[in-house]
Amino acid sequence: MPEWLKWFYLLFWITLIGFMAIGGYFMFRKFLKALPKADGKSILDWQEYYIKETSHLWSDEQKALLNDLVSPVPKLFRDVAKQKIAGKIGQLALEAKADRMTEELIIKGYILATPKRDHKWLIQTLQKKNIDLTPYKHLF
């Protein structure tokens, strides 16, 4: 067997195991979110509940704003990010007993649902939309 073929096989297997490890990591994270908590519902169940309970409060304009806010997220992860953010917005709307979605609720939910490591891009996105961040400084 030629020497270059041995190196190719070694590189192939290292790459394959690396990709499987990365995929396993993300699958494990999703599995942890699907596990029921003490109240009997998982994080994903609560997200789905909040979205379902507040779906009638959204107007087309507000849905468009949410789509604009998640547009910087890579397309592969955009639907998951949108669902997480919409779930947090729904939670805030139910806690506030809102009768309709407001821009304030959407921006507040967007900030709270976004991981701290991504706040740099979050701020850039909000500034591009000419949204004043002063009332939301305490959330960062």
Side-chain angles (χ1 to χ4, degrees):
M1 181 182 298
E3 192 68 27
W4 67 269
L5 191 57
K6 291 179 186 177
W7 283 106
F8 175 76
Y9 285 151
L10 179 65
L11 182 63
F12 171 79
W13 285 107
I14 290 172
T15 304
L16 181 69
I17 291 169
F19 281 138
M20 288 177 67
I22 291 168
Y25 169 74
F26 286 108
M27 287 178 66
F28 186 69
R29 284 182 52 199
K30 185 79 167 185
F31 170 73
L32 289 178
K33 287 182 181 180
L35 284 177
K37 303 295 179 204
D39 60 3
K41 287 190 174 187
S42 69
I43 294 171
L44 298 176
D45 291 338
W46 279 113
Q47 278 181 5
E48 195 174 305
Y49 169 77
Y50 291 132
I51 291 170
K52 184 178 158 197
E53 290 296 313
T54 59
S55 63
H56 66 284
L57 302 177
W58 290 85
S59 69
D60 291 336
E61 199 175 281
Q62 292 155 341
K63 288 178 186 177
L65 174 61
L66 180 61
N67 287 330
D68 284 344
L69 292 175
V70 296
S71 64
V73 177
K75 193 169 187 159
L76 182 63
F77 306 109
R78 196 171 296 154
D79 290 337
V80 175
K82 186 177 170 183
Q83 185 173 4
K84 181 179 178 182
I85 293 168
K88 181 54 92 172
I89 294 168
Q91 178 184 3
L92 294 173
L94 287 178
E95 288 172 358
K97 295 180 176 66
D99 57 345
R100 63 182 177 83
M101 286 295 168
T102 62
E103 185 177 296
E104 178 185 345
L105 279 173
I106 294 170
I107 294 170
K108 191 175 179 183
Y110 176 59
I111 293 169
L112 292 175
T114 304
K116 298 280 186 207
R117 67 179 180 270
D118 295 336
H119 277 191
K120 177 179 149 186
W121 291 282
L122 175 145
I123 292 170
Q124 289 174 355
T125 303
L126 291 175
Q127 287 174 341
K128 284 180 188 174
K129 308 268 183 248
N130 296 323
I131 295 173
D132 182 26
L133 297 176
T134 310
Y136 310 105
K137 287 288 185 189
H138 66 282
L139 299 174
F140 291 107

PDB file of all heavy atoms in Angstrom, residues 31-37 39-48:
ATOM      1  N   PHE A  31     -30.905  17.214  23.052  1.00  0.00           N
ATOM      2  CA  PHE A  31     -31.464  16.198  23.939  1.00  0.00           C
ATOM      3  C   PHE A  31     -31.675  16.763  25.340  1.00  0.00           C
ATOM      4  O   PHE A  31     -32.712  16.523  25.967  1.00  0.00           O
ATOM      5  CB  PHE A  31     -30.529  14.986  23.979  1.00  0.00           C
ATOM      6  CG  PHE A  31     -30.865  13.976  25.035  1.00  0.00           C
ATOM      7  CD1 PHE A  31     -31.959  13.146  24.892  1.00  0.00           C
ATOM      8  CD2 PHE A  31     -30.089  13.864  26.177  1.00  0.00           C
ATOM      9  CE1 PHE A  31     -32.279  12.207  25.867  1.00  0.00           C
ATOM     10  CE2 PHE A  31     -30.389  12.939  27.148  1.00  0.00           C
ATOM     11  CZ  PHE A  31     -31.489  12.108  26.997  1.00  0.00           C
ATOM     12  N   LEU A  32     -30.706  17.529  25.844  1.00  0.00           N
ATOM     13  CA  LEU A  32     -30.836  18.110  27.186  1.00  0.00           C
ATOM     14  C   LEU A  32     -31.998  19.089  27.255  1.00  0.00           C
ATOM     15  O   LEU A  32     -32.690  19.175  28.262  1.00  0.00           O
ATOM     16  CB  LEU A  32     -29.540  18.795  27.607  1.00  0.00           C
ATOM     17  CG  LEU A  32     -28.372  17.872  27.922  1.00  0.00           C
ATOM     18  CD1 LEU A  32     -27.132  18.690  28.266  1.00  0.00           C
ATOM     19  CD2 LEU A  32     -28.715  16.925  29.063  1.00  0.00           C
ATOM     20  N   LYS A  33     -32.227  19.847  26.177  1.00  0.00           N
ATOM     21  CA  LYS A  33     -33.341  20.793  26.157  1.00  0.00           C
ATOM     22  C   LYS A  33     -34.685  20.075  26.104  1.00  0.00           C
ATOM     23  O   LYS A  33     -35.699  20.626  26.501  1.00  0.00           O
ATOM     24  CB  LYS A  33     -33.221  21.726  24.953  1.00  0.00           C
ATOM     25  CG  LYS A  33     -32.127  22.742  25.102  1.00  0.00           C
ATOM     26  CD  LYS A  33     -32.087  23.658  23.905  1.00  0.00           C
ATOM     27  CE  LYS A  33     -30.956  24.662  24.049  1.00  0.00           C
ATOM     28  NZ  LYS A  33     -30.894  25.570  22.909  1.00  0.00           N
ATOM     29  N   ALA A  34     -34.689  18.849  25.594  1.00  0.00           N
ATOM     30  CA  ALA A  34     -35.938  18.095  25.467  1.00  0.00           C
ATOM     31  C   ALA A  34     -36.276  17.305  26.730  1.00  0.00           C
ATOM     32  O   ALA A  34     -37.379  16.777  26.843  1.00  0.00           O
ATOM     33  CB  ALA A  34     -35.859  17.148  24.277  1.00  0.00           C
ATOM     34  N   LEU A  35     -35.350  17.235  27.686  1.00  0.00           N
ATOM     35  CA  LEU A  35     -35.620  16.508  28.930  1.00  0.00           C
ATOM     36  C   LEU A  35     -36.589  17.294  29.806  1.00  0.00           C
ATOM     37  O   LEU A  35     -36.455  18.510  29.962  1.00  0.00           O
ATOM     38  CB  LEU A  35     -34.324  16.287  29.717  1.00  0.00           C
ATOM     39  CG  LEU A  35     -33.386  15.211  29.208  1.00  0.00           C
ATOM     40  CD1 LEU A  35     -32.122  15.182  30.061  1.00  0.00           C
ATOM     41  CD2 LEU A  35     -34.046  13.862  29.220  1.00  0.00           C
ATOM     42  N   PRO A  36     -37.571  16.624  30.401  1.00  0.00           N
ATOM     43  CA  PRO A  36     -38.518  17.322  31.278  1.00  0.00           C
ATOM     44  C   PRO A  36     -37.830  17.854  32.534  1.00  0.00           C
ATOM     45  O   PRO A  36     -36.961  17.203  33.101  1.00  0.00           O
ATOM     46  CB  PRO A  36     -39.538  16.247  31.648  1.00  0.00           C
ATOM     47  CG  PRO A  36     -39.295  15.106  30.739  1.00  0.00           C
ATOM     48  CD  PRO A  36     -37.910  15.225  30.223  1.00  0.00           C
ATOM     49  N   LYS A  37     -38.241  19.030  32.941  1.00  0.00           N
ATOM     50  CA  LYS A  37     -37.729  19.637  34.180  1.00  0.00           C
ATOM     51  C   LYS A  37     -38.632  19.221  35.335  1.00  0.00           C
ATOM     52  O   LYS A  37     -39.502  18.370  35.188  1.00  0.00           O
ATOM     53  CB  LYS A  37     -37.691  21.165  34.037  1.00  0.00           C
ATOM     54  CG  LYS A  37     -36.876  21.649  32.865  1.00  0.00           C
ATOM     55  CD  LYS A  37     -35.416  21.303  33.035  1.00  0.00           C
ATOM     56  CE  LYS A  37     -34.631  21.779  31.822  1.00  0.00           C
ATOM     57  NZ  LYS A  37     -33.427  21.096  31.589  1.00  0.00           N
ATOM     58  N   ASP A  39     -41.143  20.631  36.624  1.00  0.00           N
ATOM     59  CA  ASP A  39     -42.573  20.872  36.389  1.00  0.00           C
ATOM     60  C   ASP A  39     -43.184  19.912  35.364  1.00  0.00           C
ATOM     61  O   ASP A  39     -44.367  19.986  35.072  1.00  0.00           O
ATOM     62  CB  ASP A  39     -42.809  22.316  35.959  1.00  0.00           C
ATOM     63  CG  ASP A  39     -42.079  22.680  34.685  1.00  0.00           C
ATOM     64  OD1 ASP A  39     -41.428  21.800  34.092  1.00  0.00           O
ATOM     65  OD2 ASP A  39     -42.158  23.851  34.276  1.00  0.00           O
ATOM     66  N   GLY A  40     -42.373  19.027  34.792  1.00  0.00           N
ATOM     67  CA  GLY A  40     -42.868  18.041  33.844  1.00  0.00           C
ATOM     68  C   GLY A  40     -42.781  18.464  32.396  1.00  0.00           C
ATOM     69  O   GLY A  40     -43.085  17.688  31.503  1.00  0.00           O
ATOM     70  N   LYS A  41     -42.383  19.706  32.136  1.00  0.00           N
ATOM     71  CA  LYS A  41     -42.244  20.194  30.770  1.00  0.00           C
ATOM     72  C   LYS A  41     -40.787  20.529  30.490  1.00  0.00           C
ATOM     73  O   LYS A  41     -40.076  21.011  31.371  1.00  0.00           O
ATOM     74  CB  LYS A  41     -43.102  21.437  30.531  1.00  0.00           C
ATOM     75  CG  LYS A  41     -44.575  21.155  30.429  1.00  0.00           C
ATOM     76  CD  LYS A  41     -45.307  22.383  29.951  1.00  0.00           C
ATOM     77  CE  LYS A  41     -46.759  22.081  29.692  1.00  0.00           C
ATOM     78  NZ  LYS A  41     -47.439  23.206  29.087  1.00  0.00           N
ATOM     79  N   SER A  42     -40.373  20.325  29.265  1.00  0.00           N
ATOM     80  CA  SER A  42     -39.008  20.654  28.874  1.00  0.00           C
ATOM     81  C   SER A  42     -38.932  22.103  28.408  1.00  0.00           C
ATOM     82  O   SER A  42     -39.961  22.777  28.235  1.00  0.00           O
ATOM     83  CB  SER A  42     -38.543  19.726  27.753  1.00  0.00           C
ATOM     84  OG  SER A  42     -39.252  20.012  26.564  1.00  0.00           O
ATOM     85  N   ILE A  43     -37.725  22.564  28.161  1.00  0.00           N
ATOM     86  CA  ILE A  43     -37.523  23.922  27.642  1.00  0.00           C
ATOM     87  C   ILE A  43     -38.237  24.074  26.302  1.00  0.00           C
ATOM     88  O   ILE A  43     -38.895  25.092  26.049  1.00  0.00           O
ATOM     89  CB  ILE A  43     -36.015  24.220  27.495  1.00  0.00           C
ATOM     90  CG1 ILE A  43     -35.355  24.261  28.876  1.00  0.00           C
ATOM     91  CG2 ILE A  43     -35.781  25.514  26.743  1.00  0.00           C
ATOM     92  CD1 ILE A  43     -33.839  24.330  28.845  1.00  0.00           C
ATOM     93  N   LEU A  44     -38.139  23.051  25.460  1.00  0.00           N
ATOM     94  CA  LEU A  44     -38.790  23.102  24.151  1.00  0.00           C
ATOM     95  C   LEU A  44     -40.314  23.094  24.274  1.00  0.00           C
ATOM     96  O   LEU A  44     -41.004  23.752  23.499  1.00  0.00           O
ATOM     97  CB  LEU A  44     -38.312  21.938  23.281  1.00  0.00           C
ATOM     98  CG  LEU A  44     -36.813  21.921  22.963  1.00  0.00           C
ATOM     99  CD1 LEU A  44     -36.447  20.673  22.177  1.00  0.00           C
ATOM    100  CD2 LEU A  44     -36.407  23.165  22.214  1.00  0.00           C
ATOM    101  N   ASP A  45     -40.836  22.346  25.264  1.00  0.00           N
ATOM    102  CA  ASP A  45     -42.289  22.341  25.486  1.00  0.00           C
ATOM    103  C   ASP A  45     -42.781  23.719  25.893  1.00  0.00           C
ATOM    104  O   ASP A  45     -43.830  24.176  25.434  1.00  0.00           O
ATOM    105  CB  ASP A  45     -42.668  21.335  26.575  1.00  0.00           C
ATOM    106  CG  ASP A  45     -42.465  19.896  26.152  1.00  0.00           C
ATOM    107  OD1 ASP A  45     -42.446  19.619  24.937  1.00  0.00           O
ATOM    108  OD2 ASP A  45     -42.309  19.043  27.049  1.00  0.00           O
ATOM    109  N   TRP A  46     -42.034  24.382  26.772  1.00  0.00           N
ATOM    110  CA  TRP A  46     -42.426  25.727  27.200  1.00  0.00           C
ATOM    111  C   TRP A  46     -42.372  26.716  26.035  1.00  0.00           C
ATOM    112  O   TRP A  46     -43.253  27.562  25.889  1.00  0.00           O
ATOM    113  CB  TRP A  46     -41.553  26.215  28.361  1.00  0.00           C
ATOM    114  CG  TRP A  46     -41.997  25.662  29.668  1.00  0.00           C
ATOM    115  CD1 TRP A  46     -41.333  24.781  30.461  1.00  0.00           C
ATOM    116  CD2 TRP A  46     -43.234  25.950  30.345  1.00  0.00           C
ATOM    117  NE1 TRP A  46     -42.079  24.494  31.581  1.00  0.00           N
ATOM    118  CE2 TRP A  46     -43.249  25.199  31.539  1.00  0.00           C
ATOM    119  CE3 TRP A  46     -44.333  26.753  30.055  1.00  0.00           C
ATOM    120  CZ2 TRP A  46     -44.305  25.242  32.435  1.00  0.00           C
ATOM    121  CZ3 TRP A  46     -45.388  26.791  30.953  1.00  0.00           C
ATOM    122  CH2 TRP A  46     -45.367  26.035  32.125  1.00  0.00           C
ATOM    123  N   GLN A  47     -41.325  26.616  25.206  1.00  0.00           N
ATOM    124  CA  GLN A  47     -41.243  27.500  24.041  1.00  0.00           C
ATOM    125  C   GLN A  47     -42.477  27.323  23.156  1.00  0.00           C
ATOM    126  O   GLN A  47     -43.093  28.302  22.736  1.00  0.00           O
ATOM    127  CB  GLN A  47     -40.001  27.170  23.206  1.00  0.00           C
ATOM    128  CG  GLN A  47     -38.734  27.768  23.695  1.00  0.00           C
ATOM    129  CD  GLN A  47     -37.566  27.401  22.784  1.00  0.00           C
ATOM    130  OE1 GLN A  47     -37.736  26.770  21.750  1.00  0.00           O
ATOM    131  NE2 GLN A  47     -36.378  27.779  23.185  1.00  0.00           N
ATOM    132  N   GLU A  48     -42.805  26.088  22.881  1.00  0.00           N
ATOM    133  CA  GLU A  48     -43.962  25.785  22.039  1.00  0.00           C
ATOM    134  C   GLU A  48     -45.253  26.315  22.671  1.00  0.00           C
ATOM    135  O   GLU A  48     -46.115  26.869  21.981  1.00  0.00           O
ATOM    136  CB  GLU A  48     -44.053  24.274  21.845  1.00  0.00           C
ATOM    137  CG  GLU A  48     -44.954  23.837  20.740  1.00  0.00           C
ATOM    138  CD  GLU A  48     -44.864  22.337  20.521  1.00  0.00           C
ATOM    139  OE1 GLU A  48     -43.753  21.834  20.303  1.00  0.00           O
ATOM    140  OE2 GLU A  48     -45.928  21.701  20.588  1.00  0.00           O
TER     141      GLU A  48
END
